[in-house]
């Protein structure tokens, strides 16, 4: 399986002969998101919520199946589970709802937390189950803070955590850089590339944080 960090909260996950794109962003979204346009073909697109930095289907090639809601389904042999959460800490009153998506392919379970804005209730953690790779927002302000992200990582105990939704040279949102989340952590790897390829047998025994370089900077 390959995981490519396109930028912001958008990843291309390639495995089981299919291509999944998460939360495609609109170029120049809100006048502050300056990642380059996504130029990828997808079989499946997941959208955690309908904000323009997460739901820009117009930029995706192919004829993808679009998944937006909670529930379980299987698409071309890939199991996808959506779990309802909130985009803020006040039960959606400020920014609405958010959907966590869990993908099962090639013997691994990948969780994309979207724009999660609350710490995870025990019920949600139970629904998520064991996670191998966690795609985790860490920038705060619009999502969970770096400290809240750390708490969730420690609760879920993934083998690999890949940070997302943080401030970069292409993102002018008032959010924190990834270094704020990494502060004080061990087992962190800065990978000077946007894509990793990993097999189940290669997952680290203890939890590690892998920082990917956004491809669309």
């Amino acid at each position: 399986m390959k995981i490519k960090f396109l930028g912001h909260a958008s990843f291309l996950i390639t495995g089981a002969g299919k291509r999944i794109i998460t939360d495609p962003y609109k170029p120049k979204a809100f006048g502050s998101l300056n990642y380059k346009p996504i130029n990828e073909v997808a079989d499946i697109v997941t959208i955690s919520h309908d904000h323009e930095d997460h739901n820009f289907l117009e930029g995706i090639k192919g004829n993808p199946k679009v998944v937006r809601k909670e529930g379980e389904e299987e698409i071309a042999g890939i199991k996808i589970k959506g779990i309802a959460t909130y985009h803020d800490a006040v039960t959606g009153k400020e920014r609405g709802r958010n959907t966590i998506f869990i993908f099962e392919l090639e013997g691994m379970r990948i969780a994309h937390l979207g724009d999660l804005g609350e710490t995870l209730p025990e019920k949600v953690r139970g629904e998520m189950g064991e996670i191998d790779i966690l795609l985790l927002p860490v920038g705060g302000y619009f999502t969970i803070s770096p400290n809240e992200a750390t708490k969730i990582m420690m609760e879920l105990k993934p083998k690999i955590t890949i940070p997302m939704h943080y401030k970069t040279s292409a993102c002018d949102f008032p959010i924190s850089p990834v270094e704020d989340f990494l502060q004080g952590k061990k087992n962190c790897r800065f990978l000077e590339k946007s894509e990793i390829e990993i097999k189940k047998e290669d997952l680290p025994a203890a939890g590690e944080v892998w920082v990917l370089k956004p491809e669309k900077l």
Side-chain angles (χ1 to χ4, degrees):
M1 180 178 64
K2 294 180 180 179
I3 299 177
K4 180 188 289 185
F5 186 26
L6 301 175
H8 204 44
S10 190
F11 291 83
L12 170 63
I13 301 170
T14 305
K18 299 298 176 183
R19 294 162 62 88
I20 305 165
I21 289 179
T22 66
D23 280 14
Y25 55 82
K26 180 180 180 180
K28 307 296 183 183
F30 300 112
S32 298
L33 199 65
N34 298 307
Y35 290 107
K36 297 173 184 175
I38 296 173
N39 185 30
E40 300 282 359
V41 177
D43 300 292
I44 301 167
V45 175
T46 58
I47 293 175
S48 65
H49 65 292
D50 274 318
H51 288 165
E52 63 183 24
D53 55 331
H54 293 262
N55 71 349
F56 191 63
L57 289 169
E58 292 87 340
I60 306 302
K61 297 180 179 180
N63 185 29
K65 167 72 173 179
V66 180
V67 185
R68 297 173 179 266
K69 301 295 184 181
E70 62 265 27
E72 298 184 52
E73 59 184 301
E74 187 168 322
I75 303 172
I78 297 173
K79 293 181 179 179
I80 301 177
K81 184 175 186 177
I83 302 173
T85 56
Y86 292 108
H87 193 344
D88 55 50
V90 287
T91 61
K93 293 181 179 65
E94 291 180 356
R95 286 185 286 273
R97 299 175 73 87
N98 174 73
T99 304
I100 290 171
F101 286 106
I102 298 171
F103 310 97
E104 292 188 37
L105 64 161
E106 298 190 2
M108 290 175 280
R109 302 184 81 244
I110 304 99
H112 183 279
L113 300 196
D115 258 12
L116 182 69
E118 60 173 344
T119 55
L120 289 178
E122 184 177 353
K123 180 177 182 290
V124 171
R125 296 199 305 271
E127 288 184 69
M128 292 181 68
E130 184 176 340
I131 301 299
D132 295 304
I133 301 173
L134 179 64
L135 309 178
L136 179 66
V138 302
Y141 195 81
F142 300 112
T143 68
I144 49 175
S145 69
N147 287 340
E148 289 168 332
T150 297
K151 179 177 184 291
I152 287 171
M153 182 180 70
M154 294 175 66
E155 290 172 340
L156 294 177
K157 297 181 174 62
K159 301 294 192 303
I160 298 170
T161 296
I162 300 176
M164 64 176 187
H165 209 284
Y166 51 83
K167 192 175 188 64
T168 68
S169 60
C171 177
D172 198 31
F173 289 165
I175 57 179
S176 299
V178 70
E179 286 80 8
D180 288 11
F181 169 71
L182 299 177
Q183 189 172 1
K185 292 181 174 62
K186 300 178 181 178
N187 299 325
C188 297
R189 298 172 59 185
F190 274 92
L191 305 179
E192 290 300 318
K193 57 184 179 181
S194 62
E195 186 174 62
I196 58 169
E197 183 171 5
I198 192 158
K199 299 177 181 178
K200 183 176 178 61
E201 56 267 29
D202 297 330
L203 290 168
E208 297 183 3
V209 177
W210 293 9
V211 181
L212 297 182
K213 182 179 179 179
E215 185 196 47
K216 301 298 184 181
L217 275 177

